[in-house]
């Protein structure tokens, strides 16, 4: 491993230890998956660092904002999970008023928009720090990484069903 990769890994680890919190959720997965979220964050950050070939200076500027964005998204996603649980409760309640459902749906739509907005805000910040080539590589990296994770999660679910 190159010295710069070791430095990147160290910086990522320190940032995670200092600032990472909250469980990823949208009503699922179970609470024990906090470690999964952290591991996915570390994996994504390492792969992004490699794919974009970030300099140490870029890493020092980008990672604190990335951590803040992830922390805020985790909080919003925890709020979203709570609101989705409440919506499920309301839907199962036969005597619920339409107004209550509308209010709950509005809360969920607002939280989802805040999550998208935070992601967009981070990407705008990130693009101010990257070269044109790095921006192009980031777009490809983001698509490939997300698709790859979805495929892996699908295979894991399938193998979990086969083992039951």
């Amino acid at each position: 491993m190159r010295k710069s990769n070791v430095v990147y890994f160290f910086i990522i680890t320190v940032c995670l230890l200092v600032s990472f919190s909250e469980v990823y959720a949208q009503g699922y997965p179970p609470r024990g998956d906090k470690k999964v979220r952290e591991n996915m964050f570390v994996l994504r950050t390492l792969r992004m660092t490699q794919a974009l070939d970030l300099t140490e200076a870029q890493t020092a500027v980008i990672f604190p904002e990335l951590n803040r964005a992830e922390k805020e998204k985790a909080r919003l996603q925890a709020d979203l999970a709570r609101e989705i649980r409440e919506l499920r409760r309301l839907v199962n309640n036969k005597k619920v008023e339409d107004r209550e459902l509308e209010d709950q749906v509005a809360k969920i739509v607002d939280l989802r928009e805040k999550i998208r907005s935070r992601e967009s805000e981070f990407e705008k910040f990130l693009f101010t720090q990257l070269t044109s080539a790095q921006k192009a590589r980031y777009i490809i990296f983001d698509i490939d990484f997300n698709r790859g994770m979805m495929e892996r999660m699908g295979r894991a679910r399938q193998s979990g069903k086969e083992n039951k």
Side-chain angles (χ1 to χ4, degrees), residues 46-64:
L46 282 172
R47 294 241 175 111
M48 185 177 84
T49 301
Q50 292 170 337
L52 304 184
D53 196 23
L54 296 175
T55 66
E56 288 182 42
Q58 286 174 312
T59 302
V61 172
I62 293 169
F63 284 9

Side-chain angles (χ1 to χ4, degrees), residues 2-150:
R2 290 186 350 214
K3 183 179 177 183
S4 63
N5 285 345
V6 173
V7 170
Y8 295 145
F9 180 76
F10 177 75
I11 291 171
I12 292 167
T13 304
V14 169
C15 290
L16 283 173
L17 292 173
V18 170
S19 69
F20 208 86
S21 68
E22 295 298 328
V23 177
Y24 173 80
Q26 285 193 5
Y28 60 89
R31 305 235 190 288
D33 281 352
K34 180 177 183 180
K35 211 54 165 159
V36 171
R37 181 183 176 90
E38 290 174 5
N39 289 341
M40 283 182 58
F41 178 72
V42 169
L43 177 63
R44 181 179 173 80
T45 306
L46 282 172
R47 294 241 175 111
M48 185 177 84
T49 301
Q50 292 170 337
L52 304 184
D53 196 23
L54 296 175
T55 66
E56 288 182 42
Q58 286 174 312
T59 302
V61 172
I62 293 169
F63 284 9
E65 180 59 27
L66 178 60
N67 277 321
R68 280 190 291 279
E70 282 300 312
K71 194 173 183 178
E72 186 175 341
K73 279 177 37 186
R75 182 188 55 78
L76 290 168
Q77 288 168 332
D79 292 348
L80 180 62
R82 186 175 49 255
E83 296 302 337
I84 290 172
R85 283 191 300 274
E86 178 61 17
L87 180 64
R88 288 179 196 278
R89 188 190 66 74
L90 289 173
V91 166
N92 291 328
N93 182 350
K94 302 295 183 214
K95 297 181 181 181
V96 68
E97 305 253 339
D98 283 348
R99 187 75 211 134
E100 284 182 89
L101 288 171
E102 287 294 332
D103 290 346
Q104 196 60 34
V105 167
K107 287 179 187 177
I108 290 169
V109 168
D110 181 57
L111 284 166
R112 291 171 68 185
E113 179 54 36
K114 286 179 180 177
I115 292 167
R116 281 191 293 272
S117 175
R118 187 59 178 113
E119 289 170 347
S120 177
E121 185 182 315
F122 172 74
E123 192 169 272
K124 286 177 187 172
F125 165 79
L126 179 64
F127 280 15
T128 67
Q129 305 300 315
L130 300 177
T131 66
S132 297
Q134 286 174 317
K135 290 175 193 175
R137 287 196 304 265
Y138 174 78
I139 290 170
I140 294 167
F141 161 78
D142 190 49
I143 292 167
D144 290 348
F145 184 86
N146 291 334
R147 184 182 51 223
M149 290 308 295
M150 294 302 288

